[in-house]
């Protein structure tokens, strides 16, 4: 009897354990076990009353490869869901097509059947009232597709296979629509969701672009602020993107100050993005336009980045606050962390400011605005200082000290006077060029990256050199070696940082040179300088001279009288000419690179 009782308890415990393990909740949304039936494994029966949740799509017709926006919303919150698209003629078949997420923080893709991303579910049991995803129609799509969703309001309260809208392929007779219920809605006039991020591909060819940081790509860099516009007949298509928790915006302005501007805002609103036009009168907060002047509105919200696209007529006569797009304006980009309704109180200083004509074509906008004259002079003076004057001065000091020992210029050795003159010119040009950006911007540039910091360092080191030279000890002093090493070290670091500043400076928005071109020219300049320095360095160590002497000696082995060609005087003459040719090549080559930069900058 006791043994039978033990067996009975064992059976009861086993049954209880099996029951407990078969009732699984998936707060993380990994519900692939329910792909076929779409039934939650909660151990409770589904609700059969009318669902408070609605499925909506933005089109009724589609073709293979199209993107369709699907929205799940409700009058009350839900904690979980499973969304699929199926053959409308056979709702029990496998899921078809694939989805694209607009908010990976709250939604995730599942593989139901043989297709990755063919279903969407929640990522946690956090309460939601709306989710938006994009469905991509496959190449072998059935004639009609129906969207089905299972929604879990709470563990015991859920609805299974809520029927959604049916969309049909273009040219196919649609399936007779089901009676409209609170769970099925077709919406065709609302903004669509962008299937993927914007890209900087085509900037300067198909569209005009402003980028911050310079050269960034919004498709790859979530920290990239991006504005593009492309004329399309009598309309202009705008694309705006940037990282923000609240809003991003841009404005057209007649001057460099925000106020009395034509503004366009993309505002985050509870998982959606509200796109609108506004006007800033004086220094007041923006006022939204009374009429909707934007068409083909689309948006995307992912990874903390807000993106929106819209189309606007070049001329909007019914709204005098909308600027004509066939005139030049200053462009401002701004962002803020405000919630919708508070955005007007949080407009910040613009991230980018440049003057453009919106419909004049992409070639005008590729390099930002027409570069300000002060910034052109800044760039040209710095390039003259460090590509030609400074580099030639240090080149002379490194390899020409022993030359022309009997000749002087104003009482000093020739190499020294030329070196000193070139370096003084370098310091003067650097000082003048350094002040120009401060005059142009009225202060420190906060969004120029490392370039201004490198510039300050270069100026400091350049000013330190003549101070050290003035205080240097006599040539026969025991401390002279300290000065020699410091003078060489400071000069070398200054020259290296100047080259780095050139790489960054030629990519600044105010003087934005074509990316691949400027990198190629600067890389060529750097390789040319290194090549000549290596050649003269080898010559200074005697390697090139030794090879020359060996060659002459071997060529005259049969005639001892001809060995005189390899004596010290002949070799010294050859050495002198070799160094002079190298110096001329250095100056001419550097001048060529410099002229190419000056010519290109003058045309910006």
């Amino acid at each position: 009897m006791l043994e039978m009782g033990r067996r009975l308890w064992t059976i009861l415990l086993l049954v209880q354990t099996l029951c407990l393990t078969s009732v699984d909740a998936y707060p993380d949304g990994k519900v692939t076990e329910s792909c076929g039936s779409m039934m939650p494994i909660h151990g409770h029966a589904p609700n059969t009353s009318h669902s408070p949740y609605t499925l909506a799509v933005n089109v009724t017709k589609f073709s293979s490869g199209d993107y369709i926006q699907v929205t799940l919303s409700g009058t009350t919150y839900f904690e979980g869901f499973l969304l699929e698209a199926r053959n409308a003629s056979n709702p029990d078949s496998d899921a078809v097509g694939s989805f694209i997420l607009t908010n990976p923080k709250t939604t995730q893709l599942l593989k139901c059947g043989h297709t990755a991303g063919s279903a969407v579910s929640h990522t946690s049991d956090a309460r939601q009232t709306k989710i938006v995803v994009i469905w991509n129609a496959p190449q072998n799509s059935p004639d009609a597709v129906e969207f089905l969703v299972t929604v879990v309001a709470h563990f015991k309260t859920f609805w299974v296979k809520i029927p959604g809208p049916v969309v049909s392929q273009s040219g196919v007779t649609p399936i007779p629509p089901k009676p409209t219920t609170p769970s099925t809605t077709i919406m065709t006039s609302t903004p669509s969701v962008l299937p993927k991020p914007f890209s900087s591909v085509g900037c300067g060819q198909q569209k005009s672009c402003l980028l911050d940081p310079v050269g960034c790509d919004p498709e790859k860099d979530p920290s990239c602020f991006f504005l593009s516009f492309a004329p399309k007949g009598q309309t202009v298509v705008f694309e705006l993107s940037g990282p923000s928790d609240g809003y991003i915006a841009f404005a057209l302005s007649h001057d460099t100050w925000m106020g009395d501007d034509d503004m366009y805002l993309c505002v985050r609103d509870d998982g959606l993005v509200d796109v609108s036009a506004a006007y800033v009168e004086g220094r007041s907060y923006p006022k939204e336009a009374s009429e909707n002047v934007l068409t083909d509105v689309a948006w995307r919200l992912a990874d903390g980045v807000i993106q929106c696209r819209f189309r606007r007529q070049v001329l909007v006569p019914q709204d005098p606050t909308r600027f004509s797009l066939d005139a030049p304006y200053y462009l401002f980009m701004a962002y803020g962390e405000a919630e919708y309704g508070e955005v007007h109180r949080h407009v910040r200083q613009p991230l980018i400011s440049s003057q453009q004509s919106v419909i004049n074509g992409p070639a005008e906008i590729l390099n930002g605005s027409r570069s300000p004259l002060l910034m052109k002079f800044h760039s040209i003076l710095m390039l003259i200082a460090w590509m030609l004057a400074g580099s030639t001065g240090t080149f002379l000091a490194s390899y020409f000290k022993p030359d022309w020992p009997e000749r002087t210029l104003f009482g000093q050795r020739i190499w020294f006077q030329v070196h000193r003159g070139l370096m003084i010119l370098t310091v003067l040009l650097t000082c003048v060029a350094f002040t120009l950006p401060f005059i142009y911007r009225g202060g420190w540039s906060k969004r120029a990256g490392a370039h201004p910091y490198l510039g300050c360092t270069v100026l400091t080191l350049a000013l330190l050199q003549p101070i050290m030279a003035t205080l240097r000890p006599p040539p026969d002093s025991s401390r002279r070696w300290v000065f020699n090493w410091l003078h060489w070290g400071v000069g070398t670091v200054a020259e290296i940082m100047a080259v780095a500043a050139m790489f960054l400076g030629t990519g600044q928005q105010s003087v934005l040179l074509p990316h691949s071109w400027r990198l190629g020219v600067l890389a060529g300049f750097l390789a040319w300088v290194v090549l000549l320095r290596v050649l003269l360095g080898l010559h200074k160590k005697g390697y090139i001279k030794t090879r020359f002497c060996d060659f002459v000696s071997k060529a005259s082995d049969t005639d001892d009288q001809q060995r005189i060609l390899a004596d010290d005087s002949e070799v010294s003459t050859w050495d002198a000419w070799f160094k002079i040719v190298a110096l001329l090549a250095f100056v001419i080559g550097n001048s060529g690179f410099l002229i190419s930069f000056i010519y290109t900058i003058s045309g910006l």
Side-chain angles (χ1 to χ4, degrees):
M1 191 71 180
L2 180 60
E3 183 65 25
M4 184 179 297
R6 287 177 178 175
R7 289 180 180 179
L8 180 60
W9 275 110
T10 301
I11 292 173
L12 289 174
L13 287 172
L14 178 61
V15 170
Q16 185 178 15
T17 302
L18 290 174
C19 291
L20 287 172
T21 57
S22 65
V23 180
D24 287 335
Y26 294 89
D28 61 357
K30 306 293 186 180
V31 293
T32 51
E33 293 182 17
S34 299
C35 280
S37 65
M38 300 186 72
M39 176 73 179
I41 309 175
H42 288 187
H44 298 277
N47 200 317
T48 57
S49 63
H50 279 300
S51 164
Y53 307 105
T54 299
L55 269 181
V57 295
N58 65 331
V59 296
T60 58
K61 295 285 186 179
F62 72 94
S63 301
S64 296
D66 282 358
Y67 295 95
I68 298 176
Q69 175 183 316
V70 184
T71 303
L72 169 63
S73 59
T75 57
T76 184
Y77 65 85
F78 54 89
E79 295 180 353
F81 70 94
L82 175 63
L83 173 63
E84 297 180 20
R86 296 190 177 185
N87 189 336
S89 301
N90 183 14
D92 293 326
S93 60
D94 290 338
V96 297
S98 59
F99 288 90
I100 300 173
L101 305 179
T102 63
N103 189 352
K105 293 182 179 180
T106 58
T107 57
Q108 64 182 322
L109 298 175
L110 300 178
K111 182 178 181 180
C112 285
H114 302 289
T115 304
S118 56
V120 184
S121 71
H122 52 284
T123 57
S124 70
D125 58 359
R127 296 180 175 183
Q128 304 182 71
T129 57
K130 180 186 290 185
I131 63 101
V132 179
V133 294
I134 306 296
W135 181 72
N136 182 209
Q139 295 299 319
N140 59 344
S141 177
D143 292 343
V145 172
E146 182 177 21
F147 295 94
L148 302 174
V149 67
T150 291
V151 183
V152 178
H154 195 55
F155 183 77
K156 297 181 180 181
T157 307
F158 55 88
W159 287 260
V160 177
K161 282 189 179 180
I162 300 173
V166 176
V167 292
S168 303
Q169 290 209 51
S170 301
V172 175
T173 302
I175 295 177
K178 299 179 181 180
T180 302
T181 69
S183 302
T184 305
T185 302
I186 302 289
M187 54 181 191
T188 59
S189 60
T190 58
S192 60
V193 176
L194 296 165
K196 59 181 181 179
F198 296 136
S199 172
S200 62
V201 174
C203 288
Q205 287 83 38
Q206 291 83 31
K207 57 187 178 182
S208 305
C209 304
L210 287 176
L211 302 165
D212 187 53
V214 173
C216 66
D217 187 346
E219 187 176 22
K220 303 174 183 178
D221 183 3
S223 64
C224 179
F225 287 92
F226 171 81
L227 171 63
S228 76
F229 43 90
K232 303 290 185 182
Q234 294 302 309
T235 65
V236 176
V237 176
F238 291 90
E239 295 176 331
L240 180 62
S241 173
S244 176
D245 293 330
Y247 75 95
I248 55 174
F250 77 92
L252 309 176
S253 179
H254 292 291
D255 51 38
T256 58
W257 301 96
M258 297 190 75
D260 299 320
D261 303 328
D262 184 4
M263 181 175 285
Y264 300 87
L265 305 101
C266 302
V267 185
R268 184 169 183 168
D269 181 15
D270 192 23
L272 304 177
V273 176
D274 179 66
V275 183
S276 61
Y279 181 73
V280 181
E281 185 174 354
R283 302 301 176 190
S284 62
Y285 303 130
K287 298 178 181 178
E288 289 194 14
S290 57
E291 293 189 34
N292 184 15
V293 297
L294 309 180
T295 59
D296 296 341
V297 176
W299 57 269
R300 188 173 186 269
L301 190 63
D303 301 323
V305 176
I306 300 175
Q307 296 190 324
C308 61
R309 181 181 63 203
F310 59 87
R311 185 188 298 266
R312 209 212 83 175
Q313 294 287 330
V314 174
L315 300 174
V316 186
Q318 70 271 24
D319 187 350
T321 61
R322 303 275 76 81
F323 293 0
S324 169
L325 300 182
D326 61 355
Y329 300 103
Y330 287 92
L331 294 175
F332 296 97
M333 286 183 66
Y335 74 100
E337 300 176 354
E339 297 294 333
Y340 183 65
E342 299 178 356
V343 60
H344 304 329
R345 297 197 295 271
H346 291 271
V347 176
R348 298 183 177 181
Q349 290 297 317
L351 298 172
I352 301 175
S353 170
S354 63
Q355 192 173 26
Q356 302 299 337
S357 175
V358 175
I359 67 170
N360 276 354
E364 183 173 347
I365 187 69
L366 173 63
N367 295 334
S369 64
R370 287 190 61 84
S371 298
L373 188 60
L374 284 176
M375 298 308 294
K376 287 184 179 181
F377 275 120
H378 165 77
S379 302
I380 291 172
L381 292 178
M382 281 296 192
L383 291 172
I384 293 173
W386 294 99
M387 287 189 75
L388 187 59
S391 60
T392 304
T394 57
F395 193 76
L396 281 168
S398 298
Y399 306 109
F400 287 85
K401 287 182 180 180
D403 293 87
W404 313 298
E406 305 299 329
R407 298 181 182 180
T408 61
L409 182 64
F410 301 114
Q412 294 285 350
R413 298 272 298 274
I414 292 178
W415 79 265
F416 177 75
Q417 292 287 46
V418 177
H419 165 75
R420 182 166 60 178
L422 288 174
M423 300 318 295
I424 290 175
L425 178 62
T426 300
V427 174
L428 292 176
L429 291 174
T430 302
C431 290
V432 174
F434 182 82
T435 62
L436 298 181
F438 289 93
I439 297 173
Y440 168 67
R441 299 188 180 278
W444 181 264
S445 178
K446 297 181 179 179
R447 300 196 61 81
H451 177 70
Y453 297 97
L454 287 173
C456 290
T457 305
V458 169
L459 177 65
T460 302
L461 295 176
L463 291 173
L464 189 61
Q465 287 290 72
I467 296 174
M468 286 195 301
T470 303
L471 301 176
R472 69 184 183 276
D476 57 352
S477 172
S478 60
R479 294 173 296 174
R480 179 72 178 206
W481 67 272
V482 177
F483 162 77
N484 291 339
W485 278 105
L486 282 177
H487 192 61
W488 174 85
V490 171
T492 301
V493 173
E495 198 167 7
I496 292 173
M497 288 195 169
V499 172
M502 283 190 279
F503 271 93
L504 297 178
T506 52
Q508 292 297 313
Q509 193 75 47
S510 55
V511 187
L512 178 57
L513 299 174
H515 180 72
S516 57
W517 181 88
R518 64 183 174 87
L519 288 184
V521 175
L522 283 172
F525 162 73
L526 191 58
W528 176 251
V529 171
V530 171
L531 173 63
L532 287 175
R533 281 186 169 273
V534 169
L535 283 176
L536 282 191
L538 293 174
H539 178 270
K540 186 177 182 180
K541 295 293 184 180
Y543 293 111
I544 293 179
K545 180 173 65 177
T546 300
R547 297 294 179 268
F548 175 76
C549 292
D550 292 343
F551 170 76
V552 173
S553 296
K554 290 179 181 179
S556 57
D557 278 344
T558 59
D559 191 346
D560 291 340
Q561 296 298 323
Q562 294 183 5
R563 293 186 183 181
I564 192 67
L565 296 174
D567 66 10
D568 290 341
S569 62
E570 293 292 338
V571 172
S572 298
T573 303
W574 182 86
D575 286 348
W577 278 107
F578 177 82
K579 294 175 70 174
I580 290 173
V581 170
L583 177 61
L584 290 175
F586 184 87
V587 173
I588 293 172
N590 286 17
S591 298
F593 289 112
L594 175 63
I595 291 171
S596 65
F597 266 114
I598 293 175
Y599 176 79
T600 305
I601 291 173
S602 63
L604 293 178

